[in-house]
């Protein structure tokens, strides 16, 4: 059994002249919750669509469960669940009928599967409701229910918490964690809400303008971003030169308003203020902070790979 | 593909649009007969409230069957692409070719079911409300249906392909109009000047089923009344089915959703 649920090698995709993905190498191991991070147009949805076969690659190689020929990929796709962009269902049918439609299509045995999936996604009380009447959040839940039919081995979710209310987000998070822990379902999800992603992902892939900037485990990311010192000084340029020369610190970031973020700051806070005062640079503020996924991503996006 | 067919049969069975379409067809038939009854009640010399006249409405215009073919495709599948269902189906590993063939099989079954129900209703309406029921108009109507059925199936296949390809229904309808009306008509007129076009246009359903049919109250000069004519109608429709199916498979194989 292949250890990877999905792998891409030099995966490239063009939409006419626009390069949506540029030689992307992503590896998703079985059992992982892979968080795909990127701005709009970074290539997240394109990657998910390529995996699900909705679009075709312009170059490179793609594999699912170790299979990479067209015929094998088609078979492998019967083992995945998908919610990309908006959920696909017939508005004129009821929630239950839509699920039954997909159950038959996927060849999932047992009529009770539909009831179980409805229960799992909190849609039981809406089962007789026409899908036309559902709220956006409910439609997202239905999309997830469709993706979960037959308990797939690999879930592809594009912005799954869009439109959900706070309790819906919490339920969705718990459900995904439960599926991952109890059924060992591999999950690939993209989200703009990085604070949410931070709570469940075990691996991150950062995409920008079709390129993979970095692929990093949550553990490594946590270590990298553990703590940093934020110092606001009158002359940040001179201060950072001193930081490099005297304290041999190359992991920093200059921000507006004289702020300097000293990453991987392993010295006591006083050492950083002393550096400024010795050079007669006025220290306006000093604090010890923790870097979030959002900070890390912004830093990475702005070319700060070497500073963090 | 069998699972896809099963799921589509389930959906059609549970969706209202299919029954609504059947209901509309029966409603039109009923209205036609009511109009004829009213005509006879108002005008003493009214001579159109006959079984023959009623049935001749379809016999004289077999292209109706071809038009119904694309309407059935539109009624059953026009939502697939817009609603995102097609994307999900493809993501589950069902190939685009299997989807097309599955759609064609399901829509054909649904159309035949609809045809039988509507036809029985038509005959019953005409029989119970019109004067002078007779066998000849029934025979001619059934022959008209048999002659136009292959072309109607070709229209159905074309409709299935075009509604998968086009994001907007109107674009699909315009393409259908171009292929089934404009091009045959153009070929016919060009054929009046250039002989090769005359031969080609003679094999197009519009020309076969329009120009080759002359029905009046007393006469049936119809293409299907000769063995050669009937075979030509069937062959033309069959060729259309093969061409549209091959074109559809090739075109949809690389369709990005």
């Amino acid at each position: 059994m292949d250890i990877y649920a999905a792998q891409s090698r030099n995966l490239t995709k063009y939409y006419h002249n626009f390069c949506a993905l540029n030689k992307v190498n992503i590896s998703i191991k079985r059992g992982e919750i892979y968080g795909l991070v990127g701005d709009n147009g970074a290539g997240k949805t394109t990657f998910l669509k390529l995996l699900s076969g909705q679009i075709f690659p312009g170059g490179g190689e793609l594999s699912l469960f170790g299979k990479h020929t067209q015929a094998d990929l088609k078979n492998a796709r019967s083992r995945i669940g998908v919610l990309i962009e908006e959920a696909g269902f017939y508005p004129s049918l009821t929630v239950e009928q839509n699920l039954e439609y997909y159950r038959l299509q996927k060849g999932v045995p047992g009529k009770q599967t539909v009831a179980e999936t409805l229960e799992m996604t909190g849609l039981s009380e809406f089962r007789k409701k026409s899908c036309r009447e559902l709220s956006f959040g409910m439609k997202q839940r239905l999309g997830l229910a469709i993706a979960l039919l037959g308990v797939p081995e690999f879930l592809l979710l594009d912005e799954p918490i869009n439109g959900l209310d706070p309790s819906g987000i919490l339920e969705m998070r718990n459900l995904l964690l439960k599926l991952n822990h109890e059924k060992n379902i591999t999950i690939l999800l993209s989200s703009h809400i990085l604070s949410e992603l931070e709570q469940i992902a075990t691996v991150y892939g950062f995409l920008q303008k079709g390129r993979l900037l970095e692929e990093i485990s949550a553990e490594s990311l946590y270590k990298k971003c553990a703590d940093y010192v934020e110092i606001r000084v009158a002359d940040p340029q001179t201060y950072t030169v001193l930081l490099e020369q005297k304290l041999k610190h190359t992991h920093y970031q200059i921000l507006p308003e004289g702020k300097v973020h000293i990453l991987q700051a392993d010295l006591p806070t006083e050492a950083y203020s002393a550096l400024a005062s010795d050079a007669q640079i006025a220290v306006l503020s000093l604090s010890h902070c923790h870097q979030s996924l959002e900070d890390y991503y912004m830093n990475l996006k702005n070319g700060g790979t070497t500073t963090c | 593909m069998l699972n896809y067919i099963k799921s589509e049969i389930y959906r059609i069975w549970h969706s209202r649009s299919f029954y609504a379409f059947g209901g509309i067809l029966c409603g039109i038939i009923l209205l036609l007969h009511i109009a004829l009854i009213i005509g006879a009640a108002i005008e003493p010399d009214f001579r159109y409230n006959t079984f023959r006249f009623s049935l001749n409405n379809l016999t004289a215009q077999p292209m109706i069957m071809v038009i119904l073919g694309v309407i059935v495709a539109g009624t059953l599948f026009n939502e697939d692409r817009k609603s995102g269902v097609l994307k999900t189906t493809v993501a589950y590993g069902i190939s685009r070719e299997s989807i097309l063939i599955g759609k064609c099989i399901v829509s054909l079954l649904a159309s035949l079911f609809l045809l039988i129900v509507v036809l029985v209703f038509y005959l019953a309406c005409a029989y119970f409300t019109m004067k002078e029921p007779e066998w000849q108009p029934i025979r001619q109507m059934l022959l008209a249906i048999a002659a136009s059925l292959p072309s109607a199936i070709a229209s159905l296949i074309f409709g299935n392909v075009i509604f998968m390809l086009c994001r907007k229904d109107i674009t699909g309808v315009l393409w259908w109009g171009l292929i089934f009306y404009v091009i045959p008509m153009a070929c016919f007129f060009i054929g009046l000047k250039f002989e090769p076009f005359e031969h080609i246009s003679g094999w197009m359903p519009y020309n076969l089923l329009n120009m080759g049919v002359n029905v009046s109250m007393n006469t049936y000069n119809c293409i299907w009344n000769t063995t050669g004519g009937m075979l030509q109608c069937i062959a033309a429709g069959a060729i259309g089915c093969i061409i549209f199916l091959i074109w559809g498979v090739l075109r949809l194989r690389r369709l990005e959703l």
Side-chain angles (χ1 to χ4, degrees):
Chain A
M1 192 171 76
D2 201 274
I3 61 160
Y4 293 104
Q7 261 190 312
S8 74
R9 287 282 161 264
N10 294 322
L11 193 64
T12 303
K13 175 68 189 171
Y14 278 89
Y15 291 114
H16 301 291
N17 291 327
F18 174 71
C19 183
L21 278 184
N22 192 358
K23 295 183 178 171
V24 168
N25 297 311
I26 285 180
S27 299
I28 303 162
K29 283 186 187 156
R30 284 174 189 256
E32 279 181 352
I33 300 181
Y34 194 105
L36 210 50
V37 183
D39 290 343
N40 287 335
K44 304 187 297 292
T45 305
T46 299
F47 183 72
L48 290 166
K49 282 185 161 190
L50 283 166
L51 276 182
S52 65
Q54 294 176 4
I55 55 173
F56 302 98
E61 201 178 85
L62 192 66
S63 70
L64 276 171
F65 308 110
K67 316 280 183 198
H68 49 80
T69 64
Q70 278 304 313
D72 286 344
L73 277 173
K74 266 177 205 161
N75 289 333
R77 284 188 183 112
S78 62
R79 295 155 64 185
I80 67 172
V82 171
L83 171 57
I84 299 175
E85 293 174 329
E86 283 173 21
F89 53 80
Y90 288 101
S92 53
L93 295 183
T94 65
V95 170
E96 195 174 35
Q97 285 169 343
N98 264 297
L99 281 178
E100 179 63 11
Y101 168 78
Y102 280 114
R103 185 189 73 80
L104 291 168
Q105 197 168 95
K106 283 185 98 173
V108 178
K111 270 204 153 188
Q112 76 286 357
T113 316
V114 170
E116 285 164 11
T117 313
L118 285 168
E119 186 67 44
M120 200 193 295
T121 48
L123 283 168
S124 288
E125 59 180 300
F126 303 101
R127 67 181 197 281
K128 297 284 178 204
K129 204 168 182 179
S130 160
C131 290
R132 194 175 278 124
E133 297 164 24
L134 294 180
S135 66
F136 188 79
M138 284 298 158
K139 285 178 184 169
Q140 282 295 95
R141 277 173 194 253
L142 175 59
L144 184 71
I146 291 167
L148 287 174
L149 263 177
V151 192
E153 291 172 53
F154 185 22
L155 265 180
L156 307 180
L157 307 173
D158 187 21
E159 308 279 355
I161 57 170
N162 263 8
L164 293 185
D165 53 28
S167 61
I169 292 174
L170 187 70
E171 280 172 34
M172 174 81 84
R173 187 202 307 152
N174 291 337
L175 175 63
L176 293 180
L177 285 170
K178 191 178 159 191
L179 289 169
N180 178 254
H181 292 154
E182 290 179 7
K183 302 195 169 165
N184 200 32
I185 295 178
T186 311
I187 300 169
L188 167 61
L189 76 159
S190 74
S191 179
H192 285 297
I193 306 166
L194 300 186
S195 57
E196 197 48 48
L197 211 53
E198 203 170 11
Q199 297 190 52
I200 58 169
T202 55
V203 179
Y204 298 95
F206 297 95
L207 280 171
Q208 193 195 12
K209 291 178 183 168
R211 283 182 178 276
L212 183 72
L213 296 178
E214 193 178 13
E215 199 172 50
I216 186 170
S217 71
E219 203 181 341
S220 307
L221 183 78
Y222 184 77
K223 278 182 195 160
K224 265 181 143 182
C225 302
D227 290 306
Y228 69 94
V229 168
E230 184 184 280
I231 186 165
R232 207 170 138 229
V233 289
D235 183 359
Q237 274 72 26
T238 314
Y239 182 78
T240 49
V241 171
L242 291 171
L243 199 63
E244 284 194 33
Q245 286 176 351
K246 295 197 172 174
L247 300 183
K248 308 290 177 207
H249 241 306
T250 52
H251 301 264
Y252 62 81
Q253 191 182 11
I254 301 173
L255 298 166
E257 298 168 8
K259 279 183 196 171
V260 177
H261 280 185
I262 305 163
L263 307 158
Q264 295 174 26
D266 42 9
L267 296 173
T269 321
E270 297 74 39
Y272 299 106
S273 62
L275 181 71
S277 7
D278 290 349
Q280 295 186 333
I281 299 168
V283 178
L284 306 171
S285 68
L286 178 71
S287 55
H288 197 226
C289 312
H290 181 80
Q291 196 181 21
S292 66
L293 174 63
E294 206 167 282
D295 299 327
Y296 184 83
Y297 169 61
M298 292 310 287
N299 179 36
L300 193 65
K301 205 177 87 168
N302 296 327
T305 35
T306 55
T307 63
C308 183
Chain B
M1 189 162 64
L2 199 62
N3 285 339
Y4 180 73
I5 291 173
K6 270 196 259 176
S7 69
E8 279 301 329
I9 289 173
Y10 172 84
R11 180 180 69 80
I12 292 165
W13 190 254
H14 287 87
S15 67
R16 287 183 199 147
S17 56
F18 181 64
Y19 300 110
F21 180 57
I24 290 168
L25 289 180
C26 291
I28 291 170
I29 291 165
L30 198 62
L31 281 175
L32 168 81
H33 288 92
I34 290 171
L36 292 176
I37 293 166
I38 293 170
I42 295 169
E43 176 64 56
D45 296 331
F46 192 76
R47 57 192 189 96
Y48 300 110
N49 59 333
T50 60
F51 187 78
R52 179 182 284 256
F53 180 80
S54 165
L55 265 53
N56 282 2
N57 279 294
L58 178 62
T59 312
Q61 297 169 72
M63 270 305 277
I64 288 175
M65 291 285 292
V66 182
I67 297 169
L68 288 177
V70 75
I71 297 176
V72 168
T75 308
L76 297 181
F77 301 115
N78 75 328
E79 267 186 334
D80 284 21
R81 187 150 187 196
K82 284 183 277 181
S83 63
V85 172
L86 205 55
K87 285 182 188 180
T88 313
T89 302
V90 166
Y92 286 156
I94 300 174
S95 70
R96 290 155 173 82
E97 296 92 313
S98 300
I99 294 174
L100 174 65
I101 294 166
K103 275 179 192 292
C104 291
I105 293 170
V106 172
S107 53
L108 184 60
L109 291 174
S111 305
L112 291 176
F113 172 74
L114 201 65
L115 178 68
I116 292 166
V117 171
V118 173
L119 202 60
V120 168
F121 182 78
Y122 196 160
L123 288 170
C125 257
Y127 184 81
F128 289 113
T129 62
M130 299 290 112
K131 292 190 299 186
E132 301 157 19
E134 51 183 324
W135 171 244
Q136 196 194 17
I138 299 177
R139 184 177 171 275
Q140 286 298 322
M141 189 171 85
L142 292 177
L143 283 173
I145 290 170
S148 58
L149 197 59
S151 296
I153 296 170
S155 168
L156 184 77
I157 295 170
F158 182 84
N160 284 329
V161 177
I162 210 73
F163 287 121
M164 272 176 89
L165 288 174
C166 300
R167 286 176 201 276
K168 289 183 180 170
D169 294 348
I170 187 71
T171 318
V173 171
L174 289 174
W175 274 108
W176 182 88
L178 181 75
I179 300 294
F180 281 84
Y181 271 85
V182 179
I183 292 177
M185 222 185 283
C187 279
F188 173 77
F189 286 114
I190 296 169
L192 296 176
K193 281 266 180 196
F194 304 100
E195 209 173 317
F197 278 91
E198 193 187 342
H199 290 299
I200 296 168
S201 77
W203 280 89
M204 293 179 172
Y206 173 78
N207 296 326
L208 274 174
L209 300 172
N210 243 14
M211 314 292 177
V213 179
N214 183 12
V215 175
S216 70
M217 289 293 267
N218 304 313
T219 54
Y220 291 97
N221 291 322
C222 305
I223 189 167
W224 51 77
N225 283 330
T226 63
T227 311
M230 179 59 110
L231 286 176
Q232 196 179 354
C233 288
I234 292 169
I239 292 167
C241 290
I242 294 165
I243 289 173
F244 293 138
L245 197 61
I246 292 172
W247 167 71
V249 166
L250 294 175
R251 189 69 185 76
L252 294 172
R253 194 174 276 172
R254 300 298 296 171
L255 176 70
E256 299 216 321
L257 298 163

